[in-house]
Amino acid sequence: MQTIFTPSILSFIMASDDLRATRLEKAEQLRQQGLQPYAYRWEVTHQAAMLQEKYAGLPAGEEVEVEVSIAGRIMARRVFGKLAFFTLQDETGQIQLYLDKKRIEVTMAEDTTAFDRLKQLTDVGDFLGAKGTVKRTEKGELSVYVQNYQILTKSLLPLPDKWHGLTDVEKRYRQRYVDLIVNPEVRDTFRKRALITAAIRRYLNDRNFVEIETPVLQTEAGGADARPFVTYHNTLDMDLYLRIATELHLKRLVVGGFERVYEIGRIFRNEGISTRHNPEFTSIELYQAYGDYNDMMTLVEELITQPAQEILGTLQISYQGQAIDLTPPWRRITMNDAVKEQTGVDFSQFSSLEEAKSAAKAVGIKAIDDCDSIGRLLNEAFEQTVEATLIQPTFITDYPIEISPLAKPHRSQPGLVERFELFIVGRETANGFSELTDSVDQRQRFEAQAARKAAGDLEAHDIDEDFVTALEYGLPPTVGMGMGIDRLVMLLCDCASIRDVIAFPLLKPEVTGE
RNA sequence: GGGUCGCUAGCUCAGCGGUAGAGCACUCGGCUUUUAACCGAUUGGUCCUGGGUUCGAAUCCCAGGCGACCCA
C-alpha cells in the first residue's frame, strides 16, 4: 500500500505534537482501508433539532422504522466493547448516535471492521454522516440508531474540555471558530444578530426605503466627528480615507430623487478599543424626505421594537441585570430640560459664557476650560450629569448648533438644532436630525469645522465642496438617522462587550515566539 | 493614556524560593444502555518573552508582549 505522505509532510508530522500526529495517523489508516478521510458530500435529510422536535413524544425504548440521514460534528464519545454512543452536533443542536456493533456490521455489507473503525479511528471533533432509524434509548435519550455511517472530515486538533469548555476570552476571540463549536450561546448571538438586521431591512423595505451602497474609500472622510483610517491607492498615487459615516453620500441620493434611502454598512473610526468600541463596526443610516425629527423619533421606536418583539418575543428586556421596558412611546425631553432636571441649572437663561461656566462649576461640572460656547458647556454638563442616568429609552432633543454641523436650525429655538439622540442603559444608541438643507448655512458650518481642524481638532473636517454643490441643487426637507447596529445587538442579546457581537473583533497580533 | 488583574500540559486550573502537579482530553487494555460513562495503566511542559537577585526562580525584582475589566 502506497503512502500519500511526502517526506516533507512526514517530517511535519514527526515534528508535531502527539495529539495531531495521532490523528494524522488515523487519517492515513482510513486511506489505507480505501476510505476517504475528507469526504465530498453526504445526503442530509434531517437536522438534530427537527428530530428532537418531531419525536419529542417518543417513549423510552421505542424505535421508529423511518430512515433518517444526519451529519455533524462528534462532540462526545462513550464507547463500550460492542456498543457506543456519540453525541453529534449540527447547526441546529445535538442528537445522540446509538451505535450497535451487530447492527452496523449487518447493514454495512458484513463489514466486520465498521464498528472497530468507529472505536479506533474517530475522535471528538470529527465530522460524521450517519443513516439509521430513530430510537429513544432505555435511558430516555433520543438517538439515531445507526445502520451505516461515513467519516466526513477527520479533525486533527482536540476540542476544549467538554465540561469546562473554552473560557479564555483571548482564545475565544482569536479562534472564534473554536468558540462557536463549543459555546452554543455564541452561535445564538450571531444568529440573532442576523435576524435583527433582517428584521430592520424588512421593516424599511416594506415602507419603500431603498438600500443603496455608498463608497467606503473616500478622498475626504466626513459626516461625523471622528478620525479616519488612511490608506493608499497605488495607481492614483494618493491617500484615501475609509469612511467614518455614510451620511453625506446618502443625502446626495436624496438630492438625486430617492426619497427614502438607507444603508447598513461597515464604518471605520480610528479610535481606541473598548467594550463599546471596535475600530470597524456596522451602522445603519436612513433618510426620509419631507419628514422632520419628530417623525423620525417615532420611526426609531418602531425600528427597534419591531425586531425586539419579533426575535425576543417581548419588549420587557433585561440588560446586564437591569430591567428595560422598550414599550413606546419613549420619553422625549430637551437637553436643556434634562440638565436642568439633574443639576437645577437652566443654561438657556445665561447671556454670557463666564456666567454659565461659574454656574456649571458650582454644580460640579469638570474640565470645562475648553468649552468656548454655552452650547458646548451644556453638552458637557449633559454628558457628565445626565447620560448615565438614562437607563430606560429616552430621546434627548434640541442640541446646541455648535456640535451639530449637519442639522437644521430649530424652527423656534435660536442656537439649537432639531436633533435627537436616543439613550438606553446610559448609552447613545441612535442620533438623528432634521437635515440642514440651506447650502449657504451648510457652507458656513463646514467653514467653522475647517477652522477647528486648522486649530488642531483631529476630529473636525474640511469643507466637502461637492456636498455643498449637491445642496445647491436642492435637498428637500429631509430627516435622517444613524444607529449603531452592534450596540443594538448588544442591548437585545444582553452582551456586555461589543466583541461578543462581532464575530472577529480586532486584536493585536499574537507573538508566537517561534 | 492611567490603574487593577491574568498568562503553568490540547482544555480548565492548582502550585507562590527547594525534583513542575490535578481533573478532563490523548494512547493502551477491559466493557452492549451511556449521556462529565466506568475500571486499570501510560503519556504529555519555551511555567508569555528578556534581563536581574539567589547556591537554587513557575514563584521575588525590573523591562517588555498579549488579553480582560475599570477610569479618562
Side-chain angles (χ1 to χ4, degrees):
Chain A
M1 180 63 72
Q2 66 171 12
T3 175
I4 59 115
F5 289 149
T6 64
S8 67
I9 293 291
L10 275 173
S11 67
F12 165 75
I13 295 169
M14 303 306 282
S16 300
D17 52 281
D18 289 345
L19 294 164
R20 184 198 277 127
T22 302
R23 291 181 174 212
L24 275 167
E25 171 59 24
K26 290 178 181 177
E28 177 59 13
Q29 283 185 41
L30 284 169
R31 287 194 173 99
Q32 286 177 359
Q33 294 178 26
L35 297 165
Q36 169 61 268
Y38 299 99
Y40 288 87
R41 81 182 297 274
W42 180 260
E43 189 70 34
V44 175
T45 63
H46 292 74
Q47 289 182 299
M50 292 166 62
L51 292 173
Q52 296 286 6
E53 189 182 344
K54 187 170 181 185
Y55 296 103
L58 188 66
E62 295 213 1
E63 183 182 351
V64 185
E65 296 284 343
V66 289
E67 178 162 287
V68 299
S69 176
I70 59 170
R73 192 188 288 275
I74 300 170
M75 296 304 287
R77 298 168 82 241
R78 295 175 290 279
V79 180
F80 301 78
K82 293 168 181 157
L83 180 69
F85 301 95
F86 286 8
T87 302
L88 204 69
Q89 172 173 289
D90 65 19
E91 193 186 339
T92 67
Q94 298 189 337
I95 192 161
Q96 177 169 274
L97 299 184
Y98 180 31
L99 301 153
D100 178 339
K101 177 176 167 74
K102 204 174 287 177
R103 178 183 279 215
I104 286 174
E105 288 179 1
V106 168
T107 53
M108 290 183 77
E110 303 293 338
D111 178 354
T112 54
T113 63
F115 185 77
D116 291 338
R117 208 158 58 230
L118 273 178
K119 281 174 68 173
Q120 288 160 12
L121 301 183
T122 68
D123 290 284
V124 168
D126 292 353
F127 278 93
L128 202 69
K131 284 180 194 160
T133 59
V134 174
K135 177 180 179 173
R136 190 173 295 280
T137 63
E138 311 291 337
K139 297 290 169 64
E141 187 72 34
L142 189 70
S143 309
V144 172
Y145 194 172
V146 177
Q147 291 169 327
N148 64 70
Y149 74 90
Q150 189 181 338
I151 294 167
L152 301 178
T153 288
K154 189 70 201 149
S155 165
L156 300 184
L157 295 172
L159 289 177
D161 187 289
K162 65 187 166 195
W163 186 243
H164 298 97
L166 183 68
T167 59
D168 182 316
V169 280
E170 181 171 357
K171 207 153 286 181
R172 286 186 45 221
Y173 296 145
R174 285 195 195 283
Q175 295 187 280
R176 182 69 92 180
Y177 38 89
V178 180
D179 191 26
L180 288 165
I181 292 167
V182 299
N183 292 322
E185 69 280 6
V186 177
R187 291 198 298 275
D188 192 49
T189 296
F190 290 110
R191 190 172 293 116
K192 275 184 186 160
R193 179 180 176 131
L195 292 172
I196 289 165
T197 53
I200 288 172
R201 281 198 166 93
R202 196 178 323 116
Y203 175 89
L204 293 172
N205 294 343
D206 285 349
R207 283 157 187 77
N208 298 320
F209 281 85
V210 181
E211 182 172 18
I212 298 182
E213 292 179 282
T214 64
V216 170
L217 293 175
Q218 307 182 341
T219 52
E220 175 70 32
D225 293 333
R227 296 178 67 181
F229 284 93
V230 188
T231 187
Y232 175 74
H233 190 291
N234 290 335
T235 54
L236 293 183
D237 185 24
M238 65 183 295
D239 283 340
L240 290 173
Y241 300 90
L242 303 191
R243 69 181 175 191
I244 56 172
T246 49
E247 172 151 7
L248 299 180
H249 282 94
L250 288 174
K251 281 196 275 197
R252 283 173 170 90
L253 292 168
V254 182
V255 169
F258 287 102
E259 294 174 1
R260 295 180 171 208
V261 290
Y262 74 101
E263 179 173 10
I264 293 177
R266 204 68 61 84
I267 300 294
F268 307 86
R269 294 187 181 173
N270 207 335
E271 56 195 18
I273 298 176
S274 77
T275 48
R276 286 179 289 279
H277 299 84
N278 194 63
E280 56 177 309
F281 61 96
T282 302
S283 81
I284 175 170
E285 282 192 34
L286 58 95
Y287 293 84
Q288 177 178 338
Y290 311 119
D292 68 10
Y293 74 142
N294 293 306
D295 300 314
M296 186 55 81
M297 281 188 268
T298 304
L299 191 154
V300 167
E301 285 171 347
E302 293 175 2
L303 197 63
I304 290 176
T305 54
Q306 180 148 318
Q309 186 67 53
E310 204 171 300
I311 288 132
L312 307 178
T314 177
L315 297 181
Q316 311 299 319
I317 66 170
S318 169
Y319 185 75
Q320 305 293 297
Q322 292 183 101
I324 310 294
D325 182 2
L326 294 177
T327 309
W330 298 335
R331 188 183 187 207
R332 300 181 187 186
I333 181 173
T334 68
M335 179 183 273
N336 193 69
D337 284 350
V339 171
K340 190 164 69 182
E341 198 175 86
Q342 202 63 227
T343 66
V345 179
D346 183 351
F347 282 87
S348 70
Q349 297 305 304
F350 298 120
S351 50
S352 83
L353 180 59
E354 298 316 313
E355 205 183 341
K357 276 193 176 177
S358 60
K361 269 184 189 146
V363 293
I365 313 298
K366 302 183 193 83
I368 55 177
D369 294 343
D370 289 344
C371 292
D372 54 10
S373 74
I374 296 175
R376 287 185 191 278
L377 189 58
L378 172 65
N379 186 55
E380 194 62 41
F382 170 76
E383 287 180 0
Q384 287 185 34
T385 64
V386 181
E387 231 180 81
T389 70
L390 303 175
I391 306 302
Q392 301 303 321
T394 306
F395 288 111
I396 297 297
T397 64
D398 298 350
Y399 278 61
I401 195 165
E402 308 90 296
I403 59 167
S404 315
L406 300 165
K408 194 170 232 171
H410 197 283
R411 65 194 77 183
S412 61
Q413 303 288 324
L416 301 180
V417 292
E418 295 196 353
R419 174 179 176 188
F420 69 84
E421 285 191 346
L422 170 65
F423 290 85
I424 307 178
V425 291
R427 299 175 187 173
E428 181 200 330
T429 302
N431 173 27
F433 38 83
S434 301
E435 301 297 337
L436 178 57
T437 51
D438 178 341
S439 63
V440 175
D441 191 354
Q442 183 66 77
R443 178 180 293 281
Q444 287 167 354
R445 307 267 199 103
F446 275 148
E447 280 169 354
Q449 282 284 303
R452 293 187 78 84
K453 182 179 178 181
D457 185 343
L458 295 168
E459 295 189 344
H461 296 284
D462 288 321
I463 303 170
D464 187 331
E465 288 291 351
D466 181 71
F467 179 70
V468 175
T469 299
L471 290 190
E472 288 175 349
Y473 278 97
L475 175 66
T478 297
V479 60
M481 189 284 294
M483 180 166 67
I485 295 286
D486 312 86
R487 290 184 183 181
L488 178 64
V489 175
M490 284 170 67
L491 176 73
L492 296 182
C493 295
D494 195 16
C495 293
S497 169
I498 197 169
R499 293 180 208 93
D500 296 329
V501 302
I502 292 174
F504 302 99
L506 185 68
L507 295 176
K508 285 193 183 181
E510 197 174 23
V511 179
T512 60
E514 285 176 15

